[in-house]
Amino acid sequence: MGDVIPAPEAPRIPIIDNDEAAARRFPVRRIYCVGRNFADHAREMGAAAPAGKADRGLPTFFLKPADTIVVDGQVPYPPGTTELHHEVELVVALGADAPPGELAPERAGALVYGYALGLDLTRRDLQAAAKAKGLPWDTGKSFDFAAPVGALVPAAALGDLAGRSIALAVNGEIRQHASLDDLIWSVPEILHELSKLYALRAGDLVFMGTPAGVGPLRPGDSFQATLDGLPPLSGRILPALA
């Protein structure tokens, strides 16, 4: 039987490695996001931050549709909001399926294909209104063009993440800056916790959470995200679509 409508293609992220002639791309299946994974950001959002690993509790997760990915950096200002905010994040790309059941943290690294930079764009006013009513805040996080992502670098080429810094500049001014050492939950720990809730598959992305300094983006603003060893993610906020 044939499809009654054309099947959409999976979004694809460019890959940068030594074999540039191959022009390979990474097809995306699903996007997981980690909330409040930097203590300073948790505090700026009015949430309690753990004093140490012993009192971390459980990580907070939400999802974005794969078709919210933007690879050219051009982001039309979204409808329904006057408070579009930036959240710069490390993005983890999975290149293998997790085995059935709970994934041990020491085995999580074998799933990772590579890393990229991303922005978890947020309609902050919609998120805040939903939170105030105790409602889900999907409309604040999941919308068209909500997930700009830079080119992927294979994990073997990047090496250890320890000590690397992540930052975001808007119109040339640094807004966010932190060390990945400040993550409350590491990449293996997050994959372990996700495996308790979902079947992780090749093609999944994980946005690892943002440091403090989130703030507004307006039409005409330019942004550049950086992380040691990764190609920068640059782009611009365009006028709203007519």
Side-chain angles (χ1 to χ4, degrees), residues 19-232:
D19 189 11
E20 293 183 5
R24 295 185 300 164
R25 297 185 298 166
F26 183 90
V28 178
R29 186 188 85 106
R30 187 175 290 175
I31 304 174
Y32 300 101
C33 301
V34 186
R36 301 175 185 174
N37 203 18
F38 283 86
D40 56 0
H41 173 60
R43 285 189 288 267
E44 80 173 344
M45 298 305 295
K53 288 197 172 185
D55 65 345
R56 290 181 301 176
L58 293 173
T60 299
F61 297 122
F62 59 93
L63 281 75
K64 288 178 183 272
D67 65 3
T68 62
I69 284 176
V70 177
V71 295
D72 65 0
Q74 304 304 296
V75 180
Y77 198 90
T81 185
T82 58
E83 295 182 25
L84 176 67
H85 277 203
H86 56 74
E87 298 190 6
V88 66
E89 310 204 2
L90 169 70
V91 178
V92 182
L94 303 189
D97 294 352
E102 191 172 310
L103 176 68
E106 59 270 20
R107 298 183 63 189
L111 302 186
V112 177
Y113 173 81
Y115 301 99
L117 279 159
L119 291 187
D120 167 19
L121 294 180
T122 303
R123 294 191 283 205
R124 190 71 71 200
D125 45 358
L126 301 189
Q127 183 192 35
K131 283 182 176 181
K133 296 177 182 178
L135 298 173
W137 29 272
D138 300 65
T139 57
K141 289 289 190 179
S142 300
F143 51 93
D144 295 320
F145 308 102
V149 179
L152 275 170
V153 172
L158 184 64
D160 192 358
L161 295 175
R164 297 177 187 263
S165 295
I166 188 169
L168 179 76
V170 177
N171 300 327
E173 176 187 356
I174 297 294
R175 293 267 191 93
Q176 296 183 265
H177 183 268
S179 169
L180 294 183
D181 293 345
D182 295 333
L183 284 166
I184 295 171
W185 299 85
S186 69
V187 172
E189 290 171 329
I190 285 297
L191 296 182
H192 166 69
E193 293 296 333
L194 277 171
S195 75
K196 298 178 183 179
L197 302 169
Y198 303 98
L200 299 177
R201 296 285 183 257
D204 289 347
L205 300 182
V206 182
F207 279 56
M208 283 292 296
T210 196
V214 301
L217 290 167
R218 298 181 176 86
D221 285 348
S222 62
F223 59 82
Q224 184 176 65
T226 56
L227 193 155
D228 307 331
L230 291 180

